Coordinates of all heavy atoms in Angstrom, one line a residue:
K1 N -7.6 -6.6 9.9 CA -7.3 -7.3 8.6 C -6.5 -6.5 7.7 O -6.3 -5.3 7.9 CB -8.7 -7.7 8.0 CG -9.5 -8.6 8.8 CD -10.9 -8.9 8.2 CE -11.7 -9.8 9.1 NZ -13.1 -10.0 8.5
M2 N -6.0 -7.1 6.6 CA -5.1 -6.4 5.7 C -5.7 -5.1 5.2 O -5.0 -4.1 5.1 CB -4.6 -7.3 4.6 CG -3.7 -8.4 5.0 SD -3.1 -9.4 3.6 CE -4.6 -10.5 3.4
H3 N -6.9 -5.1 4.7 CA -7.5 -3.9 4.1 C -7.7 -2.9 5.2 O -7.7 -1.7 4.9 CB -8.8 -4.3 3.4 CG -10.0 -4.7 4.3 ND1 -10.1 -5.9 4.8 CD2 -11.0 -3.9 4.8 CE1 -11.2 -6.0 5.5 NE2 -11.8 -4.8 5.6
E4 N -8.0 -3.3 6.4 CA -8.1 -2.3 7.5 C -6.8 -1.7 7.9 O -6.8 -0.5 8.2 CB -8.7 -3.1 8.8 CG -10.1 -3.6 8.5 CD -10.6 -4.5 9.7 OE1 -9.8 -5.2 10.3 OE2 -11.8 -4.4 10.0
V5 N -5.7 -2.4 7.8 CA -4.4 -1.9 8.0 C -4.1 -0.8 6.9 O -3.5 0.2 7.2 CB -3.3 -3.0 8.0 CG1 -1.9 -2.4 8.1 CG2 -3.5 -3.9 9.2
T6 N -4.4 -1.2 5.7 CA -4.2 -0.2 4.6 C -5.0 1.1 4.8 O -4.5 2.2 4.6 CB -4.6 -0.9 3.3 OG1 -3.9 -2.1 3.1 CG2 -4.3 0.1 2.1
K7 N -6.2 0.9 5.2 CA -7.0 2.1 5.5 C -6.5 3.0 6.6 O -6.7 4.2 6.6 CB -8.5 1.8 5.7 CG -9.3 1.3 4.5 CD -10.7 1.1 4.8 CE -11.5 0.8 3.6 NZ -13.0 0.6 3.8
R8 N -5.9 2.3 7.6 CA -5.3 3.0 8.7 C -4.0 3.8 8.3 O -3.6 4.8 9.0 CB -4.9 2.1 9.8 CG -6.0 1.5 10.6 CD -6.5 2.5 11.7 NE -5.4 2.8 12.6 CZ -5.1 2.1 13.6 NH1 -5.7 1.0 13.9 NH2 -4.1 2.4 14.4
G9 N -3.4 3.5 7.1 CA -2.3 4.3 6.6 C -1.0 3.6 6.4 O 0.1 4.2 6.4
I10 N -1.0 2.2 6.3 CA 0.2 1.5 6.0 C 0.1 0.8 4.6 O -0.9 0.1 4.4 CB 0.5 0.4 7.1 CG1 0.7 1.1 8.4 CG2 1.7 -0.4 6.7 CD1 0.9 0.1 9.6
A11 N 1.1 1.0 3.8 CA 1.1 0.4 2.5 C 2.5 -0.3 2.3 O 3.4 0.0 3.0 CB 0.9 1.4 1.4
R12 N 2.5 -1.3 1.4 CA 3.8 -2.0 1.2 C 4.0 -2.4 -0.2 O 3.0 -2.5 -1.0 CB 3.8 -3.3 2.1 CG 2.8 -4.4 1.6 CD 3.1 -5.7 2.4 NE 4.3 -6.2 2.1 CZ 4.8 -7.4 2.7 NH1 4.0 -8.0 3.5 NH2 6.0 -7.9 2.4
T13 N 5.2 -2.7 -0.5 CA 5.6 -3.4 -1.8 C 6.1 -4.8 -1.4 O 6.4 -5.0 -0.2 CB 6.6 -2.6 -2.6 OG1 7.8 -2.6 -1.9 CG2 6.1 -1.2 -2.9
F14 N 6.4 -5.6 -2.4 CA 6.8 -7.0 -2.1 C 8.1 -7.3 -2.7 O 8.6 -6.7 -3.7 CB 5.7 -8.0 -2.6 CG 4.4 -7.9 -1.9 CD1 3.5 -7.0 -2.3 CD2 4.1 -8.7 -0.8 CE1 2.2 -6.9 -1.7 CE2 2.9 -8.6 -0.2 CZ 2.0 -7.7 -0.6
Q15 N 8.8 -8.3 -2.0 CA 10.1 -8.7 -2.5 C 10.0 -9.2 -4.0 O 10.8 -8.9 -4.8 CB 10.6 -9.8 -1.6 CG 12.0 -10.4 -2.0 CD 12.5 -11.4 -1.0 OE1 11.9 -11.6 0.0 NE2 13.5 -12.1 -1.3
N16 N 8.9 -10.0 -4.2 CA 8.6 -10.5 -5.6 C 7.5 -9.6 -6.1 O 6.4 -9.6 -5.5 CB 8.2 -11.9 -5.6 CG 9.3 -12.8 -5.1 OD1 10.5 -12.7 -5.5 ND2 9.0 -13.8 -4.2
I17 N 7.7 -8.9 -7.2 CA 6.8 -7.9 -7.6 C 5.4 -8.5 -7.8 O 5.3 -9.5 -8.5 CB 7.3 -7.2 -9.0 CG1 8.6 -6.5 -8.7 CG2 6.2 -6.3 -9.6 CD1 9.3 -6.0 -10.0
R18 N 4.4 -7.8 -7.3 CA 3.0 -8.3 -7.4 C 2.1 -7.3 -8.1 O 1.3 -6.6 -7.4 CB 2.5 -8.7 -6.0 CG 3.3 -9.9 -5.4 CD 2.6 -10.3 -4.1 NE 3.4 -11.3 -3.4 CZ 3.1 -11.8 -2.3 NH1 2.0 -11.5 -1.7 NH2 3.9 -12.7 -1.7
L19 N 2.3 -7.1 -9.3 CA 1.5 -6.2 -10.1 C 0.4 -7.0 -10.8 O 0.5 -8.2 -11.0 CB 2.3 -5.4 -11.1 CG 3.3 -4.4 -10.5 CD1 4.2 -3.9 -11.7 CD2 2.6 -3.2 -9.9
F20 N -0.6 -6.3 -11.3 CA -1.6 -6.9 -12.2 C -1.1 -6.8 -13.6 O -1.2 -5.8 -14.3 CB -3.0 -6.2 -12.0 CG -3.5 -6.3 -10.6 CD1 -3.4 -5.3 -9.7 CD2 -4.2 -7.5 -10.2 CE1 -3.9 -5.4 -8.4 CE2 -4.7 -7.6 -8.9 CZ -4.5 -6.6 -8.0
A21 N -0.5 -7.9 -14.1 CA 0.3 -7.9 -15.3 C -0.5 -7.4 -16.5 O 0.0 -6.7 -17.4 CB 0.8 -9.3 -15.5
N22 N -1.8 -7.8 -16.6 CA -2.6 -7.5 -17.8 C -3.5 -6.2 -17.6 O -4.4 -6.1 -18.4 CB -3.5 -8.7 -18.1 CG -2.6 -9.9 -18.6 OD1 -1.7 -9.7 -19.5 ND2 -2.9 -11.1 -18.1
M23 N -3.1 -5.4 -16.6 CA -3.7 -4.1 -16.5 C -2.7 -3.1 -16.8 O -1.5 -3.3 -16.7 CB -4.3 -4.0 -15.0 CG -5.4 -4.9 -14.7 SD -5.9 -4.9 -13.0 CE -6.5 -3.2 -12.7
T24 N -3.2 -1.9 -17.2 CA -2.2 -0.8 -17.5 C -1.6 -0.3 -16.2 O -2.0 -0.5 -15.1 CB -2.9 0.3 -18.2 OG1 -3.8 1.0 -17.3 CG2 -3.6 -0.1 -19.5
A25 N -0.5 0.5 -16.4 CA 0.1 1.2 -15.3 C -0.9 2.0 -14.5 O -0.9 2.0 -13.2 CB 1.3 2.0 -15.7
L26 N -1.7 2.8 -15.2 CA -2.7 3.7 -14.5 C -3.7 2.8 -13.8 O -4.0 3.2 -12.6 CB -3.4 4.5 -15.6 CG -4.5 5.5 -15.0 CD1 -3.9 6.4 -14.0 CD2 -5.1 6.3 -16.2
E27 N -4.2 1.7 -14.4 CA -5.1 0.9 -13.7 C -4.6 0.3 -12.4 O -5.3 0.1 -11.4 CB -5.6 -0.2 -14.7 CG -6.5 0.4 -15.8 CD -6.8 -0.7 -16.9 OE1 -6.0 -1.6 -17.0 OE2 -7.8 -0.5 -17.6
N28 N -3.3 -0.1 -12.5 CA -2.7 -0.6 -11.3 C -2.7 0.4 -10.1 O -2.9 0.1 -9.0 CB -1.2 -1.1 -11.6 CG -1.1 -2.5 -12.0 OD1 -1.0 -3.4 -11.1 ND2 -1.2 -2.8 -13.3
V29 N -2.3 1.7 -10.5 CA -2.3 2.7 -9.5 C -3.8 2.9 -8.9 O -4.0 3.1 -7.7 CB -1.8 4.0 -10.0 CG1 -1.8 5.1 -9.0 CG2 -0.3 3.8 -10.4
Q30 N -4.7 2.9 -9.8 CA -6.1 3.1 -9.4 C -6.6 2.0 -8.4 O -7.5 2.2 -7.6 CB -7.0 3.2 -10.6 CG -6.8 4.5 -11.4 CD -7.6 4.6 -12.7 OE1 -7.8 3.6 -13.3 NE2 -7.9 5.8 -13.1

């Protein structure tokens, strides 16, 4: 599953930015 792939060591960004708009930059990183 996606979260299992992430734990294995693969991360990605998206063609259309998918940030949490109403969270701070630090909270997004966390």
Side-chain angles (χ1 to χ4, degrees):
K1 297 178 181 178
M2 287 183 283
H3 70 278
E4 294 171 327
V5 171
T6 301
K7 285 186 176 182
R8 285 279 302 276
I10 297 179
R12 72 170 293 180
T13 66
F14 293 86
Q15 182 177 351
N16 299 314
I17 296 172
R18 297 186 186 180
L19 294 170
F20 297 99
N22 292 312
M23 293 170 63
T24 67
L26 178 59
E27 288 169 341
N28 268 274
V29 176
Q30 288 173 331

